[in-house]
C-alpha cells in the first residue's frame, strides 16, 4: 500500500479512510455512507495495513478488539469453572492433591486436576491467558491512540464538503447575510469555552479534546496494575503465609527466611456483656455471645546472623505488641493479622494414682501431651511409666494407634509400678475408657483434669506492590473521569460559494451538545444543524462504551 | 515513520512484553524462592538433632549420597517401608549412601518407641519447628528426597516405596 496524497495537499499514511487534515473521504466504500464513523477519525489502524513479517502478524492479531473480547470471555469462563470444585488452597487434605481430587470427585476431579483448575491462579495456561489480555490491552491502545493523536493534531479549519455533509449534525443554508453574525457566533463560542480558529472566513471551534484520551489513560492505569500483579512473583515483594502459634510458643515467622521469630504470650477472646451498657442488652438477649475482641499478645525477635532451617538461633528482642482484628502488628514491611484461632486445645492431663481397694490416693502426675516423660516417679516404690503414647488414638482391630501427631484424643499405655507389683501392672487409658489387658489391676490412674492451650492463627503478609497498584488504580479512575465527564465537541462553519455548511461532532452526550449549538446560533442567519442520528445509534452507543469503560 | 523503524519499535515492545510475562510465569512455576527444595537444584541445608542431642548438618554429607526421608509414627506407609529402608541401609552405608530420617516433630516418647520397635539403625532426627518440612515443601507423608554426592536433589518421591524401589534409589545416588 502507498501513502495517499489528498487533494488538499496532505499526505496520509497508507490505509487512511478520512484525510487527516481536511477529512475528505479517501476510501470508495466510505462514500456510500450517509454518516461517517468518526470513532478513530477515519485514521489508518496501521496493524491492519501491514502484515508482512511475523512480528506484524502477531501485532495485528493482538491489535484486534475482537481478539481482546474473546480473551476476556475465555478468562471469565475459566474463572467460573475454577469455582465448581474447591481450590487446593481452601481444602485440607491428607493425601496428594491428585489423589484428593480423584477420590472426592471421580473422573471430573481427575480432569479438573489434570487441567490445573485445582490451582487456577498458578496454572501456566491461565497466567498466559491473563498475560495475553495485558498484551492485547497494550497493543490495542498503542494502535489506536497514536493515529488518533496525529489525526486530531493535523486537522485543519477548512474541511472537505464530503466530510461535513456526512456528519451527524449537519445543515446548510444561503450564505447571504451571515458575515454580520459570524462575530457574534465566535464570541458565543468563546464564552462556551471553545477554542475558535478562523481560516478564509471558515470557522472551526473545538473543546474538550483531552476527553478522547480518557480510555487510553484508563488503559495505562490497568497496565500499571498488571505490572504490580506481576511484581508479586519477584523475590521479596510479596508474602502471604499462615502462622499457627500456641500460647507460650516461639516460632519462626514463615516467609521471613528464618530471620524473624514470634512469641505468643496470650490469646484473648472477649465478648460483650452487661457492663458494655444498655445498648447491647437486646442484642445480647437475642444472640447470646457476641465477639468484642480477638487479640494475640506477642513479642517479635530477630535472629542473629544467617539461620539454617531447624537451627535454634540466638534471638534478639525487637518489640512487643498486640495483634487485634484490623490492627495488624507491623515490622519491616511485614504485617501480622489476627485471622483465626483454636480455643481449649488439650495440652496436659493430670491423673491420680489410686489404690482401688481403699480409694487411697498415692500421688498425682501431670503429663505434657506435646512431650510426655518416659517415667513419673512418685516415691516409696511407686512410679508410672509410659510404654506407648497415642496423641490421636483410634482402635484398629482392637489395637490402638494414632491418626495424627496432634493431641486431639490422647491415650496412653501405662505401666503402674507399686511395692506390691515391682514389675508393674499394664493399663491402657484413653478419654473415658480404661483397659486392663493383662487382668484386673490393684491400682488405677484416675483422670483428674486437663489443661488447655489456645492457638492463634496469624496471617503473615508482605506486599510491596501495593503502592504501584494504588497508583495504577488512581490513574485508571482519572481516565474514567476524563472520558465520562467531558466530551470532545467540534463545530465547523464553512462558506462554499453561495451556501454555508454547518456541521458538528461530539463523542457522546449529543443531546446537550445540540442545546449548546442552539444557544450559540440563536437569532443568527446561520442554519441550526439537524440531528440525523437515527440509523447510526449503534455507532453512538459504541462511542459511549469506549468513553466509559475503555 | 518508516517501515523499518516501525518493525524495530514493534519488535522491542513485543520483546519487553514477552520478557515480563516469561519472568512472571517462571517465578510462579519454579516457586522462585531460592530457599525451597526443587529437583535439579542444590538441596537446602539444615541442622537437626536426634533424640540424644547429636547435631546433623546436611552439608556435612557432601561427597555422599543422602536418602532424605520424612516420616511420622502415624503414617502407615512409613511403618511399612522403614524395615526395608533399614535393610538397604546396611548394604549401602559402606558404599557412601546415608539415610537421614526426619521425623515431623512428634513427641520424643513416640519416636523413641518407634525406633526401638523397628530396631532402626540409621539416624533419626526431629524437625520440631517444622522449618525443614517447610523448606522442603513436605506434604503429605511419606516423602523422600534423593540427594547426590554434590548436594543436588536428584528426585522427589511421595507415596509408598517397596524394597526394590529403595534399592534402585540408593543406586541412583551412590557416589
Amino acid at each position: 500500500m502507498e501513502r495517499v496524497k489528498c487533494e488538499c495537499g496532505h499526505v496520509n499514511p497508507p490505509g487512511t479512510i478520512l484525510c487527516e487534515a481536511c477529512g475528505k473521504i479517501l476510501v470508495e466504500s466510505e462514500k456510500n455512507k450517509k454518516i461517517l464513523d468518526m470513532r478513530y477519525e477515519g485514521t489508518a489502524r496501521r496493524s491492519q495495513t501491514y502484515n508482512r513479517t511475523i512480528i506484524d502478524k502477531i501485532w495485528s492479531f493482538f491489535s484486534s478488539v475482537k481478539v481482546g473480547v474473546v480473551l476476556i470471555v475465555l478468562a471469565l469462563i475459566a474463572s467460573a469453572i475454577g469455582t465448581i470444585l474447591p481450590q487446593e488452597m481452601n481444602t485440607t487434605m491428607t493425601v496428594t492433591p491428585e489423589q484428593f481430587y480423584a477420590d472426592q470427585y471421580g473422573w471430573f476431579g481427575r480432569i479438573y486436576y489434570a487441567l490445573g483448575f485445582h490451582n487456577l491462579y498458578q496454572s501456566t495456561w491461565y497466567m498466559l491467558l491473563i498475560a495475553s489480555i495485558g498484551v492485547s490491552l497494550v497493543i490495542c491502545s498503542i494502535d489506536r491512540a497514536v493515529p488518533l493523536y496525529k489525526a486530531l493534531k493535523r486537522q485543519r479549519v477548512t474541511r472537505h464538503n464530503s466530510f461535513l455533509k456526512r456528519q451527524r449534525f449537519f445543515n446548510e443554508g444561503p450564505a447571504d447575510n451571515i458575515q454580520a453574525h459570524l462575530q457574534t457566533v465566535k464570541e458565543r463560542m468563546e464564552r462556551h469555552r471553545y477554542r475558535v480558529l478562523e481560516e478564509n472566513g471558515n470557522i472551526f471551534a473545538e473543546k474538550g479534546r483531552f476527553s478522547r484520551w480518557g480510555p487510553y489513560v484508563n488503559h495505562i492505569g490497568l497496565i500499571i496494575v498488571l505490572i504490580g500483579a506481576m511484581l508479586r512473583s519477584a523475590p521479596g515483594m510479596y508474602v502471604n503465609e499462615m502462622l499457627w502459634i500456641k500460647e507460650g510458643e516461639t516460632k519462626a515467622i514463615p516467609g521471613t527466611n528464618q530471620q524473624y521469630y514470634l512469641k505468643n504470650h496470650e490469646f484473648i477472646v472477649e465478648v460483650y456483656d452487661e457492663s458494655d451498657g444498655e445498648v447491647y442488652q437486646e442484642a445480647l438477649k437475642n444472640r447470646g455471645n457476641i465477639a468484642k475482641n480477638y487479640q494475640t499478645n506477642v513479642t517479635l525477635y530477630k535472629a542473629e546472623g544467617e539461620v539454617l532451617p531447624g537451627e535454634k538461633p540466638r534471638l534478639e528482642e525487637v518489640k512487643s505488641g498486640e495483634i487485634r482484628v484490623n490492627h495488624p502488628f507491623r515490622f519491616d514491611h511485614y504485617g501480622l493479622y489476627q485471622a483465626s484461632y483454636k480455643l481449649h486445645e488439650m495440652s496436659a492431663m493430670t491423673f491420680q494414682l489410686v489404690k482401688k481397694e481403699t480409694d487411697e490416693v498415692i500421688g498425682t502426675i501431670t503429663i505434657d501431651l506435646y512431650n510426655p516423660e518416659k517415667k513419673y516417679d512418685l516415691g516409696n516404690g511407686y512410679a508410672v511409666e509410659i510404654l506407648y503414647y497415642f496423641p490421636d488414638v483410634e482402635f484398629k482391630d482392637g489395637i490402638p494407634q494414632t491418626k495424627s501427631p496432634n493431641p486431639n484424643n490422647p491415650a496412653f499405655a501405662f505401666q503402674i509400678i507399686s511395692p506390691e507389683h515391682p514389675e508393674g501392672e499394664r493399663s491402657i487409658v484413653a478419654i473415658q475408657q480404661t483397659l486392663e489387658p493383662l487382668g484386673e489391676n490393684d491400682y488405677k490412674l484416675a483422670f483428674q483434669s486437663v489443661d488447655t492451650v489456645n492457638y492463634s492463627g496469624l496471617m503473615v503478609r508482605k506486599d510491596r506492590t501495593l503502592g504501584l497498584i494504588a497508583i495504577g488504580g488512581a490513574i485508571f479512575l482519572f481516565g474514567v473521569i476524563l472520558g465520562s465527564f467531558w466530551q470532545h465537541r467540534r463545530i465547523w462553519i464553512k462558506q462554499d460559494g453561495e451556501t454555508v455548511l454547518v456541521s458538528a461532532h461530539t463523542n457522546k452526550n449529543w443531546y446537550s451538545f445540540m442545546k449548546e449549538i442552539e444557544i450559540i446560533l440563536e437569532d443568527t442567519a446561520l442554519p441550526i444543524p439537524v440531528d440525523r442520528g437515527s440509523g447510526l445509534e449503534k455507532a453512538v452507543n459504541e462511542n459511549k462504551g469506549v468513553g466509559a469503560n475503555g | 515513520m518508516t517501515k523499518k523503524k516501525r518493525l524495530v519499535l514493534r519488535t522491542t515492545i513485543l520483546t519487553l512484553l514477552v520478557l515480563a510475562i516469561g519472568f512472571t510465569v517462571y517465578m510462579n512455576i519454579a516457586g522462585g524462592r531460592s530457599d525451597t527444595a526443587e529437583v535439579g537444584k542444590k538441596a537446602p541445608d539444615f541442622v537437626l538433632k536426634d533424640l540424644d542431642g547429636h547435631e546433623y548438618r546436611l552439608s556435612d554429607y557432601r561427597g555422599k549420597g543422602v536418602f532424605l526421608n520424612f516420616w511420622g509414627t502415624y503414617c502407615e506407609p512409613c511403618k511399612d517401608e522403614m524395615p526395608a529402608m533399614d535393610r538397604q541401609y546396611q548394604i549401602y552405608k559402606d558404599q557412601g549412601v546415608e539415610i537421614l530420617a526426619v521425623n515431623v516433630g512428634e513427641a520424643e516418647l513416640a519416636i523413641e518407641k518407634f525406633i526401638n520397635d523397628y530396631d532402626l539403625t540409621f539416624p533419626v532426627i526431629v524437625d520440631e519447628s517444622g522449618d525443614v518440612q517447610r523448606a522442603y515443601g513436605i506434604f503429605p507423608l511419606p516423602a523422600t528426597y534423593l540427594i547426590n554426592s554434590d548436594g543436588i536433589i536428584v528426585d522427589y518421591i511421595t507415596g509408598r516405596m517397596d524394597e526394590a524401589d529403595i534399592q534402585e534409589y540408593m543406586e541412583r545416588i551412590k557416589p
Side-chain angles (χ1 to χ4, degrees):
Chain A
M1 277 201 195
E2 292 300 313
R3 291 175 163 269
V4 195
K5 187 168 181 183
C6 177
E7 65 178 45
C8 72
H10 183 73
V11 179
N12 291 286
T16 304
I17 300 161
L18 305 176
C19 171
E20 290 175 327
C22 74
K24 181 180 186 298
I25 300 172
L26 301 174
V27 176
E28 281 303 315
S29 64
E30 208 67 15
K31 288 185 180 159
N32 304 325
K33 289 194 179 167
K34 267 180 81 177
I35 294 168
L36 293 171
D37 180 0
M38 293 285 290
R39 203 190 318 178
Y40 302 112
E41 299 285 314
T43 57
R45 261 161 289 153
R46 287 195 221 94
S47 60
Q48 297 176 343
T49 56
Y50 292 107
N51 260 327
R52 296 218 179 104
T53 65
I54 181 84
I55 294 289
D56 289 330
K57 279 183 180 146
I58 294 170
W59 189 274
S60 96
F61 175 77
F62 281 110
S63 165
S64 157
V65 170
K66 272 185 202 146
V67 168
V69 171
V70 168
L71 288 172
I72 291 170
V73 169
L74 283 179
L76 270 176
I77 293 170
S79 307
I81 294 173
T83 65
I84 295 176
L85 299 184
Q87 290 285 297
E88 185 186 0
M89 58 188 167
N90 297 329
T91 51
T92 37
M93 20 181 135
T94 49
V95 290
T96 55
E98 189 175 4
Q99 194 72 37
F100 176 84
Y101 281 93
D103 291 352
Q104 297 282 314
Y105 309 107
W107 62 269
F108 185 68
R110 240 180 269 267
I111 297 173
Y112 206 78
Y113 177 83
L115 294 179
F117 280 108
H118 69 292
N119 196 1
L120 191 63
Y121 294 151
Q122 263 72 52
S123 287
T124 310
W125 63 265
Y126 186 83
M127 274 191 277
L128 289 177
L129 189 57
I130 299 296
S132 312
I133 294 176
V135 172
S136 158
L137 203 61
V138 171
I139 294 181
C140 280
S141 301
I142 294 176
D143 234 26
R144 285 166 179 73
V146 173
L148 179 64
Y149 172 78
K150 285 186 178 162
L152 290 177
K153 211 175 111 184
R154 286 172 189 160
Q155 58 182 335
R156 286 187 190 158
V157 174
T158 310
R159 289 298 185 115
H160 198 268
N161 285 3
S162 68
F163 176 86
L164 295 177
K165 284 183 176 170
R166 283 181 180 77
Q167 292 302 317
R168 179 174 157 178
F169 283 3
F170 171 72
N171 209 347
E172 53 191 332
D176 303 346
N177 347 311
I178 61 162
Q179 288 311 330
H181 294 127
L182 279 181
Q183 196 52 39
T184 324
V185 167
K186 267 170 68 182
E187 274 164 20
R188 285 180 185 169
M189 282 171 165
E190 268 157 6
R191 218 176 303 138
H192 280 90
R193 295 171 190 280
Y194 280 86
R195 197 170 60 98
V196 185
L197 297 174
E198 208 174 347
E199 184 185 78
N200 307 327
N202 302 324
I203 290 177
F204 169 46
E206 182 184 26
K207 72 173 177 185
R209 190 196 285 185
F210 61 88
S211 87
R212 294 291 282 270
W213 312 127
Y216 306 106
V217 171
N218 182 303
H219 285 180
I220 290 170
L222 273 181
I223 290 160
I224 291 175
V225 169
L226 279 177
I227 291 172
M230 287 202 307
L231 275 180
R232 285 193 167 181
S233 30
M237 293 302 277
Y238 183 73
V239 169
N240 183 13
E241 302 266 1
M242 191 74 192
L243 170 63
W244 279 102
I245 185 167
K246 69 176 185 246
E247 289 172 326
E249 196 178 22
T250 304
K251 262 182 137 177
I253 300 174
T256 65
N257 290 328
Q258 322 273 127
Q259 283 313 292
Y260 287 102
Y261 285 71
L262 194 74
K263 178 165 186 172
N264 176 357
H265 297 289
E266 193 185 9
F267 176 74
I268 302 163
V269 179
E270 287 173 293
V271 292
Y272 285 98
D273 60 29
E274 264 79 61
S275 66
D276 289 303
E278 280 288 311
V279 208
Y280 297 102
Q281 291 306 320
E282 204 179 321
L284 285 176
K285 221 180 280 168
N286 294 338
R287 299 289 303 274
N289 282 344
I290 298 170
K292 185 180 180 182
N293 184 25
Y294 299 106
Q295 178 177 328
T296 311
N297 294 341
V298 296
T299 300
L300 177 75
Y301 299 92
K302 194 170 183 358
E304 276 177 34
E306 281 278 303
V307 183
L308 289 179
E311 204 170 21
K312 284 231 158 56
R314 288 213 304 174
L315 297 176
E316 204 180 305
E317 189 174 327
V318 180
K319 62 172 176 173
S320 294
E322 299 166 352
I323 308 175
R324 278 172 288 128
V325 176
N326 291 336
H327 295 276
F329 180 79
R330 295 191 189 279
F331 63 95
D332 189 16
H333 302 292
Y334 289 91
L336 298 176
Y337 294 79
Q338 187 67 57
S340 189
Y341 64 96
K342 277 189 267 181
L343 293 181
H344 314 310
E345 296 289 316
M346 285 184 275
S347 65
M349 276 181 152
T350 304
F351 295 95
Q352 280 182 336
L353 180 60
V354 176
K355 187 168 188 177
K356 284 185 183 174
E357 214 176 48
T358 57
D359 273 346
E360 182 196 345
V361 177
I362 311 292
T364 306
I365 60 168
T366 298
I367 300 169
D368 178 348
L369 297 176
Y370 287 95
N371 200 9
E373 310 263 331
K374 239 186 286 182
K375 190 173 179 180
Y376 297 82
D377 213 325
L378 292 167
N380 301 326
Y382 291 99
V384 177
E385 251 184 75
I386 301 179
L387 295 179
Y388 285 99
Y389 169 45
F390 310 99
D392 194 358
V393 80
E394 64 175 355
F395 288 88
K396 251 193 192 159
D397 306 323
I399 299 162
Q401 55 188 38
T402 189
K403 291 197 281 213
S404 79
N406 312 316
N408 300 328
N409 183 18
F412 304 89
F414 290 119
Q415 192 80 344
I416 305 169
I417 295 157
S418 56
E420 295 96 313
H421 301 280
E423 291 296 310
E425 294 175 305
R426 182 73 61 90
S427 172
I428 295 172
V429 178
I431 288 172
Q432 301 200 327
Q433 198 179 3
T434 303
L435 295 173
E436 295 176 349
L438 306 175
E440 189 75 3
N441 294 343
D442 291 336
Y443 290 87
K444 67 171 180 183
L445 281 163
F447 172 76
Q448 206 56 36
S449 64
V450 60
D451 293 344
T452 60
V453 68
N454 299 332
Y455 277 81
S456 180
L458 302 173
M459 216 155 69
V460 183
R461 273 293 180 100
K462 173 182 181 177
D463 192 348
R464 304 197 66 180
T465 67
L466 274 182
L468 195 63
I469 289 175
I471 291 171
I475 293 176
F476 176 97
L477 280 180
F478 181 64
V480 172
I481 291 167
L482 278 190
S484 304
F485 297 135
W486 282 274
Q487 300 96 42
H488 182 212
R489 291 178 171 180
R490 280 175 293 175
I491 305 169
W492 296 275
I493 298 171
K494 183 181 178 186
Q495 295 181 62
D496 189 30
E498 293 303 298
T499 49
V500 60
L501 292 80
V502 179
S503 295
H505 180 263
T506 180
N507 59 337
K508 59 166 68 77
N509 207 354
W510 292 80
Y511 179 77
S512 112
F513 184 36
M514 183 59 94
K515 293 287 148 201
E516 191 178 51
I517 296 169
E518 282 167 2
I519 293 169
I520 289 171
L521 300 182
E522 206 177 19
D523 301 327
T524 67
L526 288 154
I528 291 182
V530 176
D531 183 356
R532 308 177 298 165
S534 57
L536 204 82
E537 289 309 319
K538 196 173 154 276
V540 175
N541 287 337
E542 275 170 16
N543 279 346
K544 275 184 193 158
V546 167
N549 335 310
Chain B
M1 191 160 30
T2 66
K3 284 170 199 166
K4 200 175 165 192
K5 251 165 106 188
R6 171 155 42 242
L7 186 65
V8 169
L9 192 67
R10 284 183 179 180
T11 312
T12 314
I13 293 171
L14 282 175
T15 312
L16 283 176
L17 289 171
V18 167
L19 281 179
I21 293 162
F23 168 77
T24 312
V25 171
Y26 171 78
M27 292 308 269
N28 271 284
I29 291 172
R33 294 185 306 198
S34 55
D35 59 337
T36 312
E38 200 186 315
V39 173
K41 279 195 172 176
K42 200 169 153 278
D45 200 8
F46 60 80
V47 180
L48 289 177
K49 287 181 181 162
D50 67 9
L51 293 181
D52 300 328
H54 276 296
E55 265 194 4
Y56 291 81
R57 183 185 291 261
L58 182 67
S59 48
D60 291 345
Y61 290 86
R62 200 56 58 82
K64 280 181 165 189
V66 177
F67 186 93
L68 182 64
N69 176 258
F70 290 83
W71 68 281
T73 62
Y74 55 90
C75 144
E76 284 299 318
C78 302
K79 290 183 197 168
D80 298 341
E81 61 200 27
M82 281 292 190
M85 272 165 56
D86 205 55
R87 281 192 295 275
Q88 292 302 318
Y89 176 64
Q90 294 304 329
I91 299 167
Y92 281 94
K93 69 175 177 184
D94 300 327
Q95 301 178 38
V97 180
E98 195 63 46
I99 290 183
L100 288 178
V102 181
N103 178 275
V104 292
E106 294 177 274
E108 252 178 54
L109 186 80
I111 302 171
E112 195 180 324
K113 293 290 176 196
F114 190 94
I115 296 173
N116 291 337
D117 284 358
Y118 287 87
D119 232 347
L120 303 179
T121 52
F122 47 73
V124 172
I125 47 187
V126 186
D127 181 25
E128 211 184 312
S129 62
D131 293 343
V132 177
Q133 291 163 71
R134 194 176 305 112
Y136 279 82
I138 297 302
F139 183 84
L141 293 178
T144 302
Y145 277 90
L146 303 179
I147 302 166
N148 70 14
S149 53
D150 298 326
I152 305 293
I153 297 173
V154 176
D155 206 351
Y156 171 52
I157 298 121
T158 48
R160 214 175 276 269
M161 311 180 276
D162 61 24
E163 191 152 358
D165 294 333
I166 296 170
Q167 186 183 2
E168 188 213 314
Y169 299 149
M170 296 282 183
E171 280 297 330
R172 282 172 65 184
I173 51 175
K174 207 167 77 174

